[in-house]
Every structure is written in structure tokens, then in C-alpha cells.
Amino acid sequence: IMQGMNVLEHFSKEDRAELRRLMIDAVLATDMTGHFKHVSEFQSKVDIGFDFEKASDRMVIFQMCIKCADISNAARPQNLNMQWTDRVMEEFFTQGDREKKEGLPISPLCDRKSTNIPKSQVGFMDFIVKPMFTAFCKFMPVFEEVCMPSLQKNRKYWSDKIPAEEEAGD
């Protein structure tokens, strides 16, 4: 898209390369394999304070902003949360269908026959979203009033959909 629109035509070759590097780093930060490392690094920086003169500190903030945006569906109004949950779960199930077709083990949360969507959403919110958003709220307090009420409401919605006997088995 950017090449087609030529939005970078006035950038030097070096600036285009730097922008490309920043974009790649931001996208890679959304990979869940590094999630806990990113959140821990961010939390440490929040605790000691950011040095905004340091590019590495600015990158930690930038990556956390991208990560929050990436999984923000959990903290959006309930109708949007439900729409995005449906979309994400369909993406996971399509992956699981393909894995099954190719004789591969089905990845976690990708088996449409055994995945409990309400339980997966509650776990996602409890172990991924809430800790990350809590850390971000310490850095940007307005984030708490904007996102946390919806996160709590969505968590309750999904939790209420889990039968009591399944919750007791956790």
C-alpha cells in the first residue's frame, strides 16, 4: 500500500530503511512467543522510568502500544468483542482444519470440536490481556478508564457462559 501511494517518496533511503526496521520490530512484537518478555521489559521500564532520549526505551513503548492495539478486542465494547472473538476463533479453527487435513497435530485453541470458547476467552483475558493492560495503565493512567471497564464486562460475559461444573474443574 505504501509503495502504491508513494508516501515515502520524500524520505531518504536511510530514513526509509529505518522506518521499515521500526515497522518490522513493531509487527514482531505482536508474536505471542515473546509476549511475556515484552510485558516484563515494559513493566521494568515503567518501574524505573523511561529515558525518552533513548531509542530503545521509545521502542519498548512503541511495541507495547502495538501489542495493546493487537489484542484490544478484549477491552472493546461487548458487541465488538464478540465480533472479533468470532473472527479470531474462525481463523484458529481454519488453521486447525488445515492441520487435521494435513495429518498434523492440531494446535491449541484450533480444534473446533473441543475448544471451549468462553473458557479460552476468560483465560486470554486473565493471563494475557489484563496483566499487559495493567502494566500499560501504570504508564498511561487514562488507559484504565478507557479500557478496563470493558475488559471487566467482557470477562464477566464469557465467564457467565462457562457451566459451573467446568469452572470447578479448573
Side-chain angles (χ1 to χ4, degrees):
I1 291 172
M2 288 174 52
Q3 289 175 341
M5 295 176 66
N6 207 13
V7 296
L8 304 179
E9 69 182 311
H10 299 293
F11 282 59
S12 69
K13 184 176 181 179
E14 295 77 21
D15 287 345
R16 284 193 305 272
E18 177 64 10
L19 180 60
R20 183 176 189 278
R21 186 190 65 74
L22 290 171
M23 294 173 101
I24 289 169
D25 286 350
V27 170
L28 291 176
T30 66
D31 184 338
M32 291 306 291
T33 59
H35 173 78
F36 296 105
K37 177 184 134 317
H38 284 291
V39 173
S40 176
E41 181 179 9
F42 182 82
Q43 183 63 58
S44 294
K45 292 289 186 177
V46 167
D47 291 344
I48 63 171
F50 287 96
D51 179 350
F52 294 101
E53 298 298 315
K54 291 176 67 178
S56 60
D57 279 14
R58 292 191 310 271
M59 178 54 80
V60 169
I61 296 167
F62 183 56
Q63 288 173 330
M64 190 57 59
C65 289
I66 294 294
K67 289 180 68 55
C68 286
D70 185 47
I71 63 172
S72 65
N73 63 298
R76 293 190 182 269
Q78 193 171 50
N79 65 323
L80 293 174
N81 171 253
M82 292 170 61
Q83 289 174 27
W84 278 102
T85 298
D86 289 345
R87 290 175 178 147
V88 169
M89 294 312 299
E90 186 53 38
E91 179 182 335
F92 288 0
F93 293 157
T94 299
Q95 175 182 326
D97 295 345
R98 184 160 186 185
E99 290 168 339
K100 184 177 182 179
K101 182 180 171 187
E102 293 182 14
L104 298 169
I106 299 175
S107 298
L109 304 175
C110 293
D111 189 338
R112 68 175 70 242
K113 292 181 181 170
S114 64
T115 299
N116 181 315
I117 294 172
K119 282 178 77 170
S120 72
Q121 288 303 297
V122 169
F124 177 62
M125 291 176 191
D126 287 351
F127 298 105
I128 303 296
V129 182
K130 187 176 181 186
M132 184 173 77
F133 278 31
T134 299
F136 200 78
C137 288
K138 290 178 183 173
F139 173 69
M140 188 173 289
V142 69
F143 201 71
E144 185 156 2
E145 65 191 57
V146 172
C147 296
M148 297 308 262
S150 290
L151 178 61
Q152 291 166 346
K153 183 177 180 181
N154 291 330
R155 192 213 181 274
K156 181 175 181 352
Y157 170 83
W158 289 111
S159 180
D160 288 349
K161 294 205 167 296
I162 302 170
E165 62 274 7
E166 286 188 42
E167 272 192 306
D170 287 343

